Amino acid sequence: MDDPAYRVEMDRRRGRGAVANPTGRCEPARRESFDDGWDIGEELLPLPTEVIIEKPRTIITKNDSPDILFEKSINPYRGCEHGCSYCFARPTHAYQGLSSGLDFETKIFAKPNAAELLEKELRAPNYQPTTIALGANTDPYQPVERKFRITRSVLEVLNRANHPVGIVTKSALVTRDIDLLSQMADKQLAKVAISITTLDPKLARRMEPRAATPAKRLETVRRLSEAGIPVTVLVAPIIPAINDHEIEAILKASQQAGAQEAGYVLLRLPHDLKDLMRDWLVEHYPDKLKHVFSLLQEARGGKDYDSGWSTRQSGVGPYAWMIGRRFETAAERLGLNKRNLSLRKDLFKSPAKETGQLSLF
């Protein structure tokens, strides 16, 4: 953190989650600071958000991980301006030749042709409908969605095709699309999961600097629920010694706001995210650094992270067991997870191909 080639000055990253911008792990060269004798006090501008237009050939991503509840997903964006310090998707920016640090939250890739590609893929003769997840990697309702409306256009296609969709977000912007989501929910085709990591606005500001406040997220749960849209709350991630004491309070507040289901995920630190989280703790909670990683390592078989499918979401050992039992006990007491709402796929109708010819009926 003392290396100028690694560290980014606080004034430049104000409102950002990561505290550094390390070289991407896939890059052949790494930055190293060097004093050339030119000590020029140059004022650097704050880090702006840059949106890069991406034009993929396909839009539906297939998943075969046995611990993930969906087979297909759509990610309208790569990178996420919310800047959550703990985001497990950060290391994916390395595939773009970028850093999982500040690059991840300042260089956003947008896919404006997503709806067009989706219609094409849904028309395939052998297409079999299963729930499509929006937000499986990065948030589909991050700030740039206000301008690009890619998620909205994807939902419009899915609504016309009677295709089931599940959304994961921590943004209040999802309420903009209540008109579409309520139509789909009436046909048992939509459900929304809201991620609530903490009820403490100060902690949220540090962890998730550009995401909706905890109070706003609870209000989002309420508005979606009142519109007849099934809502799940995700206490995710649970970070040892940082927010693990809030499990019961988050579940109670969420249930009172109208949530019907709940889930949790223990903090995951794939690839260089483990170093980014250490840097974040050094800056915000230096006295807790050793304790946090001691508990994590206990839950990860002695390592910072274990990617095993059967344990990566919940961990192993006494600490992980305690977290699981606390969550289950609180959820049962509050009446959460009494039923698992399955979305319908029998209503699907392939999008009609535009031929320019009017129908006789």
Side-chain angles (χ1 to χ4, degrees):
M1 281 297 294
D2 292 331
D3 185 349
Y6 180 79
R7 174 174 46 83
V8 178
E9 295 297 334
M10 185 178 295
D11 286 345
R12 291 199 68 207
R13 55 181 168 81
R14 190 176 301 279
R16 301 296 180 179
V19 301
N21 206 41
T23 304
R25 69 181 187 281
C26 299
E27 296 307 289
R30 294 187 178 277
R31 296 189 297 271
E32 182 176 336
S33 61
F34 175 75
D35 184 4
D36 59 4
W38 291 93
D39 186 16
I40 301 175
E42 187 175 335
E43 184 177 349
L44 298 175
L45 296 175
L47 295 171
T49 299
E50 177 185 358
V51 179
I52 303 159
I53 300 301
E54 182 178 3
K55 294 186 177 180
R57 295 182 179 180
T58 60
I59 199 63
I60 298 178
T61 300
K62 306 292 175 52
N63 164 68
D64 59 1
S65 301
D67 60 347
I68 302 296
L69 300 178
F70 56 85
E71 298 176 14
K72 301 171 184 173
S73 63
I74 293 176
N75 291 295
Y77 305 97
R78 296 179 192 254
C80 185
E81 198 177 358
H82 283 157
C84 302
S85 58
Y86 52 73
C87 182
F88 71 88
R90 281 183 177 274
T92 61
H93 245 42
Y95 303 130
Q96 309 299 316
L98 297 169
S99 171
S100 55
L102 289 163
D103 280 349
F104 178 79
E105 52 193 282
T106 58
K107 300 184 187 301
I108 311 300
F109 293 79
K111 307 172 186 178
N113 64 336
E116 177 186 343
L117 291 173
L118 178 59
E119 281 210 9
K120 180 180 178 182
E121 292 180 47
L122 295 184
R123 286 195 203 106
N126 60 345
Y127 181 80
Q128 295 296 320
T130 58
T131 299
I132 286 179
L134 285 176
N137 196 43
T138 56
D139 203 309
Y141 286 102
Q142 59 182 285
V144 294
E145 167 65 13
R146 294 185 184 277
K147 174 183 177 182
F148 285 90
R149 300 174 69 87
I150 300 173
T151 299
R152 171 84 185 188
S153 66
V154 166
L155 285 177
E156 289 171 343
V157 173
L158 294 175
N159 186 31
R160 289 196 297 270
N162 283 338
H163 195 294
V165 63
I167 296 173
V168 179
T169 182
K170 53 171 57 74
S171 173
L173 184 57
V174 66
T175 58
R176 179 201 64 187
D177 295 336
I178 280 180
D179 58 332
L180 291 174
L181 292 171
S182 59
Q183 292 175 27
M184 299 180 76
D186 286 344
K187 294 178 283 187
Q188 206 170 315
L189 293 172
K191 60 193 304 187
V192 176
I194 303 294
S195 172
I196 301 180
T197 317
T198 179
L199 299 179
D200 180 351
K202 290 183 179 179
L203 176 57
R205 178 73 172 175
R206 292 172 177 173
M207 286 198 305
E208 311 153 332
R210 299 199 176 198
T213 64
K216 194 70 174 176
R217 286 183 232 182
L218 288 171
E219 174 66 12
T220 299
V221 172
R222 185 191 64 78
R223 290 187 60 187
L224 292 171
S225 180
E226 288 178 351
I229 302 162
V231 182
T232 298
V233 164
L234 298 178
V235 187
I238 293 175
I239 306 176
I242 298 296
N243 69 340
D244 54 356
H245 63 285
E246 295 191 69
I247 294 173
E248 292 83 0
I250 293 172
L251 290 178
K252 181 178 180 180
S254 301
Q255 185 268 343
Q256 291 175 342
Q260 299 171 331
E261 298 177 336
Y264 80 96
V265 178
L266 187 64
L267 177 64
R268 296 169 53 191
L269 298 177
H271 302 297
D272 42 345
L273 182 55
K274 57 181 68 70
D275 295 324
L276 289 170
M277 274 304 296
R278 278 189 170 90
D279 294 337
W280 183 83
L281 287 165
V282 165
E283 175 150 317
H284 296 292
Y285 300 98
D287 56 326
K288 294 186 177 184
L289 173 61
K290 290 184 179 180
H291 188 41
V292 170
F293 272 86
S294 174
L295 291 172
L296 270 181
Q297 289 164 1
E298 177 187 319
R300 299 297 185 188
K303 300 181 289 186
D304 288 344
Y305 181 56
D306 181 2
S307 60
W309 281 338
S310 61
T311 59
R312 61 177 177 170
Q313 306 279 31
S314 56
V316 297
Y319 175 77
W321 184 89
M322 178 194 68
I323 292 296
R325 301 299 76 73
R326 282 178 54 197
F327 178 88
E328 290 174 358
T329 301
E332 183 176 0
R333 183 176 67 250
L334 293 166
L336 296 167
N337 298 332
K338 290 296 185 183
R339 64 186 184 95
N340 182 19
L341 176 64
S342 298
L343 300 181
R344 297 183 63 176
K345 54 186 180 182
D346 58 309
L347 300 178
F348 173 72
K349 52 184 181 182
S350 180
K353 191 171 183 178
E354 294 184 7
T355 61
Q357 182 174 345
L358 298 176
S359 172
L360 292 175
F361 305 99

